[in-house]
Amino acid sequence: MESYVTVSGLISQFLVGLSRAMILFIVSSGLSFILGVLRVPNVAHGSLYMIGAFVAHTLAMAAGGGAAGFWLALVLAPTAVALISLAAERLLFCHLYEREHLMLLLFTFALALILGDLTKITWGADYRSLVAPPFLQGSVMVLGTPFPRYNLFLLAVGPVVALGLWLFSNKTKVGKIARAAAVDREMVGAIGINVGRVFAFAFVLGCFLAGLGGALVSPTVSITLGMDHTIIIEAFLIVTIGGLGNMWGALAGSLIFGVSQSMGILLWPQFAIVFPYLAVVIILTLKPTGLLKSVW
Amino acid sequence: MLEVQGIHTYYGLSHILFDVSLRVEAGQVVCLLGRNGAGKTTTLKSIMGLAPPARGRIRFNQRDVTGWPPYRMARQGAGFVPDNRRIFADLTVGENLEIAARQGPGAEKWDRERVYDLFPALRAMDRRRGGLLSGGEQKMLAIARALMTNPQFLLLDEPTEGLAPLLVKSLGERIRKLKELGLTVLLAEQNLRFTLGLSDYGYIIDNGRICHHGRVAELVNDPQVRKICGI
Amino acid sequence: MKKERFFSVGQLLMWAGCLLAVVMPAAAEARDIKVGIVDTYSGPAAVFGNDALNGFKLAVNEINKQGVLGGKIVFTTRDEQFKVDIGLNVAKELVLKENVDVLVGTINSGASMAISEAVAKKEKIPFIVWTAKSENITGKAGHRYVFSTAENTAMAGKSAAVAFAKKPFKKFWIAGDDYEYGHAIADAIWRNLKKIKPEVEAIGRTWWKPGEPDLIPYLTAIQAAKPDCIIFATGGVSMANVLKAIKTTGMENKIPAWIHTATDHSVLKPLGMNAPEGVMGTIQYHYYYPETPANKKFVADFQAAYGNPPGFPAFNAYTTAQLIAGAYRKAGKIDKEKFIDAMEGLKVDTPVGKVEMRACDHQAVYPMFLGTTKISQEFGGAIAADIITLQGDEVMPTCEEIAEARKQK
């Protein structure tokens, strides 16, 4: 079979992979953060991502479906998701902190199932489509190959979120407390800080990121039931190969996953599905604890 | 200020403390002496809420605080300095102090400047990651961090362990200084001599039981105590 | 002296008469016909499962007004969750525990084939496939106990080939969902197209996992290869994803694309005014075409009952219900073998006219509508325009081809 790989094709495809990695990063950084501070894999993360997409669609449609609606949805949908997670945390989750670790995991699993069904009940089985605001529609030519404008937007948003997270972790008191709690929650309590509040905050922030990922991805995919399953597997793999609880690890993992997937599609379309998982296997074989330092 | 009444504490199924009782009056420095594994750390942890007792009572400032979570104890004015330091390795020295800062019930107003006055060596390392400090420096940081919560009462777990003699001496001076400033201290130690100049009263703990207690001067002359404490 | 019997002979006869009078009508009294439905009611494909169920319910409500053989058609559903093993299990349960008279379903070709082989054939119970499109169902894997009221990949393939024969495209790229349906449809199209126009060339093939949400990287890669036309072999949700990606990557109106059932309104509606134009598709049912009185009534009734217009699964299921009722009436009793005999060659009224259940392969014969997407202000989105109708016999494999295929199995 002839090869249609050109330099411009490679670059364009690389950029597409990079922009996909941005969404993966936003979602998995949230998962990683929760994992680091609470030491719990949040199985409901994918469901919250899906709800973020559905809510974004509903809000954007309610606001008229145009550009204003989109931006509004982008801000409000993650907030709504954060509120949902806060409700779950305050009502049930916080009572489990003292219990065995396994209980927390089971709780997030139950939450994932409940949210999945609630989504089906609220929005039905039909899939929805959200449109990007007009100036982000269409494509620009990048070295002779068309590149969707919205993906350029994603390429800008990703680093902004990364910067925001970094500033939060390293420059704010709450961020520092969260980092301390990730390593030694007992001692954080011993200096007078209510660790339960820290957990609540970390959980809500992580879920906000999941919702943000869902809202951002909605113009590029069909919003359907089942979105939660695909993303949660990818996010877990990314967090594992990046290093548990490590934000830079989530970034590295997302880049590897996203780019290997898109390059695989260009270079070997029949087996493109395999590439990112192959990358995961290789990384974990060479470095079982992940590329970067795990928090624990 | 502190009254521990007949507590029994377990780690899982292991019965560690048997009917431990002690008292610390305001302004005192009381020591808890014993060998390795005698139950000193467990006693301190039981008081702080890190290892709540299964039976018995703990009263702090006339309030029953048995089983209170550590953060409430800290807010009540208890400062805990663990024997293994447990400083936040990923944060800098300054950040370790920053997140501990709070307005506590202590009479003194501790802030970063005053704490650095007490431990000048730390000032120079304000920006260094906690994990890079030496053992002795970390011990100082652990005490400094506890002070930042402005406690009335300090629980010190083996502060001299692993320190060079010169550092032990300087640490002793600092604890004396804190006592002068009115801080109440419960000091768990293996080193009887170190506690001599510092404490008023002492409890000897052996195999999880309080076997002797009394004024330090009396204890020092008691041959059985000397045997237990390896002097 | 003769002892008096407890009951005299006369009384005995009277009791016997009464008993018979009670029992016999009960034996002769009709019972309800039980239909077992296996379909997908969760996950992205649920939208099609629900559509089919609604179409079936609409038909059954009408049919039950008159009744069939003195009883009603009743049904029970099971969710296969788009999984073959679950579909197989629930089908077995419906037959062995619920004792249904006829099985219908599903959207998953793999599940349909499994049920056809392991349940329908084995338990000798008629199974009517109403959405799954694999041509193997009535083709090489077909047998006496399986029917199809879905159009299948062979028909779609031939329709596409007929359409492409008239266009100047030479270099094709084939892309689609990596599962049975995707490959089947790609093969059917390519097989038929190569026959009609041997000079066409498949310059590349891309397969993604079914339901893959982000197809932009795939499309950008394909565009780089500059094919004359892209054939998308996608099912279910992927169709919407492909259409969306066509729009987002700016492929619309630059490289022609063909997707079977892309012109279904359940696919186009969520995209609204942002659906791409110029995409070709084939389908056996549109709610807005043809504008026959029968179709209009069907659409109106469906809309009134369910709040949205019917899609092709609803149409297939409606036709299935008509066939079931018609076959039982023709058979005269609730008997599986007689039912099957009655089905063969049966013609029923449907919104698109009379549809025949072909005897030689148990496949419903549908006309195919070939259209191109075009935005319509009136519909608030894209619809199929410039519709060409291909008659059923133009697009069906012949009975000889079917017999040949089954023999080779």
Side-chain angles (χ1 to χ4, degrees):
Chain A
M1 192 176 84
E2 276 184 70
S3 175
Y4 289 93
V5 178
T6 59
V7 173
S8 73
L10 275 170
I11 294 180
S12 156
Q13 200 67 356
F14 177 76
L15 289 176
V16 169
L18 215 59
S19 54
R20 285 203 73 206
M22 293 298 109
I23 300 276
L24 291 171
F25 166 65
I26 291 172
V27 174
S28 38
S29 65
L31 184 66
S32 202
F33 189 60
I34 295 175
L35 190 60
V37 177
L38 279 86
R39 307 265 175 112
V40 163
N42 181 18
V43 185
H45 215 69
S47 323
L48 292 161
Y49 162 85
M50 178 171 71
I51 291 179
F54 272 100
V55 170
H57 177 267
T58 307
L59 286 175
M61 287 298 134
F70 175 76
W71 297 115
L72 195 71
L74 200 60
V75 169
L76 290 183
T79 313
V81 170
L83 287 173
I84 293 174
S85 64
L86 180 65
E89 199 273 342
R90 286 286 102 184
L91 289 173
L92 294 164
F93 208 24
C94 64
H95 302 297
L96 300 172
Y97 289 147
E98 298 306 310
R99 303 284 200 88
E100 240 196 84
H101 212 62
L102 192 60
M103 291 291 281
L104 292 172
L105 175 61
L106 286 176
F107 174 79
T108 62
F109 187 71
L111 190 62
L113 294 175
I114 294 172
L115 289 177
D117 271 350
L118 277 177
T119 309
K120 183 157 130 187
I121 293 171
T122 317
W123 282 283
D126 287 338
Y127 44 84
R128 284 133 205 279
S129 183
L130 185 61
V131 193
F135 88 99
L136 287 179
Q137 286 175 20
S139 50
V140 292
M141 294 308 262
V142 171
L143 299 176
T145 336
F147 186 71
R149 270 203 206 149
Y150 191 77
N151 290 53
L152 272 178
F153 170 64
L154 290 177
L155 283 176
V157 169
V160 168
V161 171
L163 185 67
L165 280 177
W166 183 84
L167 284 173
F168 166 75
S169 274
N170 290 295
K171 298 289 170 194
T172 65
K173 188 166 175 187
V174 187
K176 293 173 193 174
I177 293 176
R179 277 163 58 209
V183 177
D184 193 344
R185 56 174 69 167
E186 263 198 346
M187 205 55 220
V188 168
I191 56 175
I193 296 171
N194 184 346
V195 186
R197 291 268 167 81
V198 180
F199 287 169
F201 181 77
F203 186 67
V204 170
L205 179 62
C207 294
F208 177 87
L209 289 167
L212 181 63
L216 280 171
V217 87
S218 48
T220 67
V221 298
S222 288
I223 303 169
T224 60
L225 305 173
M227 275 173 90
D228 50 349
H229 298 139
T230 2
I231 196 74
I232 192 68
I233 295 174
E234 293 175 341
F236 266 113
L237 287 175
I238 287 168
V239 163
T240 310
I241 64 173
L244 301 171
N246 189 322
M247 189 194 95
W248 297 117
L251 184 58
S254 305
L255 289 172
I256 291 172
F257 206 90
V259 172
S260 67
Q261 190 171 46
S262 68
M263 297 314 279
I265 291 167
L266 181 66
L267 300 170
W268 213 349
Q270 263 103 321
F271 301 105
I273 307 174
V274 172
F275 272 65
Y277 299 99
L278 204 61
V280 169
V281 167
I282 291 172
I283 291 173
L284 287 180
T285 313
L286 296 174
K287 264 204 121 191
T289 53
L291 288 168
L292 301 179
K293 197 182 71 174
S294 292
V295 163
W296 41 286
Chain B
M1 184 180 277
L2 175 75
E3 239 188 279
V4 176
Q5 295 162 344
I7 61 170
H8 292 256
T9 302
Y10 292 75
Y11 280 147
L13 295 174
S14 284
H15 197 159
I16 308 291
L17 296 179
F18 297 85
D19 199 28
V20 166
S21 299
L22 53 88
R23 283 175 68 101
V24 182
E25 305 290 349
Q28 276 190 325
V29 174
V30 172
C31 63
L32 180 64
L33 292 159
R35 286 186 283 231
N36 254 340
K40 303 190 295 299
T41 300
T42 311
T43 308
L44 258 50
K45 280 187 166 176
S46 292
I47 296 169
M48 195 62 191
L50 292 164
R55 293 202 291 283
R57 305 254 122 243
I58 299 174
R59 299 177 72 80
F60 185 66
N61 282 335
Q62 276 89 50
R63 297 177 75 163
D64 187 341
V65 297
T66 325
W68 274 28
Y71 82 93
R72 286 187 77 190
M73 290 304 293
R75 289 182 188 187
Q76 278 295 302
F80 182 63
V81 184
D83 61 339
N84 50 356
R85 285 113 41 200
R86 291 172 80 170
I87 54 119
F88 305 120
D90 202 40
L91 302 180
T92 66
V93 167
E95 287 170 343
N96 265 273
L97 299 177
E98 180 195 342
I99 64 173
R102 68 175 47 247
Q103 290 208 331
E108 297 297 314
K109 295 287 162 228
W110 290 99
D111 62 14
R112 218 197 286 199
E113 271 314 300
R114 289 204 59 201
V115 157
Y116 281 158
D117 284 340
L118 190 62
F119 296 104
L122 289 179
R123 183 179 275 124
M125 298 186 286
D126 179 72
R127 297 227 161 177
R128 198 179 299 181
R129 270 187 73 235
L132 299 175
L133 267 56
S134 74
E137 289 162 346
Q138 285 189 353
K139 277 198 183 274
M140 288 196 282
L141 180 55
I143 299 174
R145 180 180 59 184
L147 288 175
M148 292 295 290
T149 65
N150 277 298
Q152 304 170 298
F153 185 76
L154 216 54
L155 293 150
L156 285 175
D157 196 352
E158 299 208 41
T160 67
E161 188 211 353
L163 287 188
L166 208 60
L167 284 172
V168 170
K169 188 156 169 274
S170 117
L171 191 61
E173 278 160 19
R174 291 203 170 71
I175 296 177
R176 191 170 295 119
K177 186 108 185 283
L178 290 174
K179 179 183 172 180
E180 283 163 24
L181 290 171
L183 214 52
T184 310
V185 179
L186 178 59
L187 177 61
E189 260 299 341
Q190 286 186 58
N191 186 343
L192 179 56
R193 280 200 210 287
F194 173 74
T195 65
L196 274 180
L198 287 174
S199 350
D200 314 302
Y201 204 82
Y203 289 83
I204 315 295
I205 185 168
D206 194 32
N207 285 330
R209 282 168 226 273
I210 302 285
C211 47
H212 292 87
H213 58 96
R215 306 198 61 79
V216 167
E218 293 160 20
L219 290 175
V220 160
N221 294 320
D222 185 330
Q224 281 205 313
V225 169
R226 293 172 74 98
K227 193 163 141 219
I228 290 172
C229 294
I231 300 176
Chain C
M1 185 147 108
K2 200 159 78 173
K3 227 158 99 174
E4 225 189 306
R5 292 184 196 164
F6 195 71
F7 287 107
S8 73
V9 176
Q11 281 178 322
L12 223 53
L13 280 171
M14 188 191 76
W15 279 116
C18 287
L19 223 55
L20 280 170
V22 170
V23 168
M24 272 190 68
E29 190 184 291
R31 63 168 177 84
D32 291 336
I33 295 167
K34 231 173 155 184
V35 177
I37 306 176
V38 179
D39 218 333
T40 298
Y41 297 110
S42 51
V47 62
F48 301 103
N50 288 330
D51 195 41
L53 185 61
N54 288 342
F56 189 71
K57 280 199 285 199
L58 190 69
V60 164
N61 287 338
E62 275 174 40
I63 293 168
N64 281 343
K65 285 191 193 129
Q66 204 198 341
V68 181
L69 301 179
K72 292 197 189 305
I73 296 180
V74 295
F75 60 89
T76 177
T77 64
R78 294 286 185 276
D79 185 1
E80 61 167 8
Q81 299 175 41
F82 208 74
K83 293 199 171 78
V84 176
D85 52 340
I86 297 182
L88 203 51
N89 282 336
V90 296
K92 282 190 189 146
E93 184 222 327
L94 285 172
V95 174
L96 298 170
K97 254 181 77 187
E98 297 286 333
N99 291 314
V100 296
D101 299 303
V102 60
L103 267 179
V104 304
T106 139
I107 187 175
N108 184 324
S109 292
S112 298
M113 301 264 284
I115 295 172
S116 164
E117 196 58 36
V119 181
K121 199 164 163 191
K122 196 156 156 275
E123 306 294 331
K124 292 196 170 24
I125 178 164
F127 172 46
I128 307 176
V129 177
W130 67 16
T131 318
K133 302 185 198 302
S134 170
E135 66 197 64
N136 295 328
I137 294 171
T138 50
K140 73 173 190 230
H143 52 81
R144 177 174 165 78
Y145 296 94
V146 68
F147 296 82
S148 169
T149 50
E151 96 298 3
N152 61 34
T153 49
M155 295 154 73
K158 207 155 173 189
S159 320
V162 164
F164 281 135
K166 307 196 176 91
K167 307 255 182 189
F169 308 136
K170 216 178 140 247
K171 293 194 294 181
F172 287 84
W173 194 287
I174 300 176
D177 289 337
D178 193 10
Y179 73 132
E180 219 257 316
Y181 172 68
H183 289 285
I185 239 219
D187 288 340
I189 298 168
W190 199 247
R191 201 174 60 225
N192 282 294
L193 184 54
K194 262 301 223 210
K195 239 193 282 181
I196 303 176
K197 217 177 167 196
E199 64 269 26
V200 295
E201 211 191 310
I203 60 173
R205 285 164 201 265
T206 306
W207 299 105
W208 51 71
K209 77 174 195 289
E212 171 68 55
D214 189 358
L215 295 173
I216 291 174
Y218 293 93
L219 260 67
T220 46
I222 295 171
Q223 273 179 274
K226 299 195 182 14
D228 293 333
C229 175
I230 309 178
I231 296 174
F232 287 106
T234 55
V237 176
S238 286
M239 280 186 284
N241 293 341
V242 169
L243 288 172
K244 201 158 179 184
I246 289 175
K247 185 95 188 184
T248 327
T249 56
M251 231 182 74
E252 187 186 7
N253 288 323
K254 283 213 200 101
I255 304 184
W258 179 94
I259 314 173
H260 180 53
T261 65
T263 43
D264 183 42
H265 99 274
S266 69
V267 174
L268 293 173
K269 182 160 151 293
L271 298 170
M273 298 297 283
N274 291 291
E277 290 192 313
V279 177
M280 299 171 280
T282 41
I283 198 169
Q284 83 284 22
Y285 180 70
H286 287 295
Y287 73 89
Y288 43 84
Y289 187 94
E291 293 187 315
T292 59
N295 197 13
K296 284 200 171 138
K297 179 169 187 302
F298 173 59
V299 173
D301 291 344
F302 194 93
Q303 182 99 31
Y306 305 110
N308 54 268
F312 70 87
F315 169 73
N316 294 358
Y318 184 90
T319 306
T320 307
Q322 302 295 354
L323 281 166
I324 291 176
Y328 274 114
R329 288 184 186 132
K330 190 164 151 201
K333 60 195 272 224
I334 303 177
D335 175 280
K336 297 189 176 77
E337 299 295 328
K338 285 209 161 27
F339 172 77
I340 293 171
D341 292 332
M343 282 280 273
E344 291 179 347
L346 182 63
K347 286 199 177 76
V348 290
D349 286 317
T350 72
V352 302
K354 276 230 187 290
V355 164
E356 179 194 346
M357 173 55 73
R358 200 159 77 165
C360 73
D361 57 353
H362 291 184
Q363 173 65 47
V365 182
Y366 290 128
M368 286 292 243
F369 302 104
L370 173 66
T372 311
T373 58
K374 200 168 158 148
I375 299 282
S376 151
Q377 291 294 337
E378 184 201 330
F379 281 90
I383 55 163
D386 309 326
I387 297 181
I388 303 171
T389 310
L390 301 169
Q391 291 307 322
D393 37 30
E394 277 183 74
V395 298
M396 299 273 286
T398 61
C399 282
E400 290 79 38
E401 285 172 332
I402 298 284
E404 194 57 45
R406 289 194 189 178
K407 230 188 295 169
Q408 282 172 5
K409 187 187 124 166

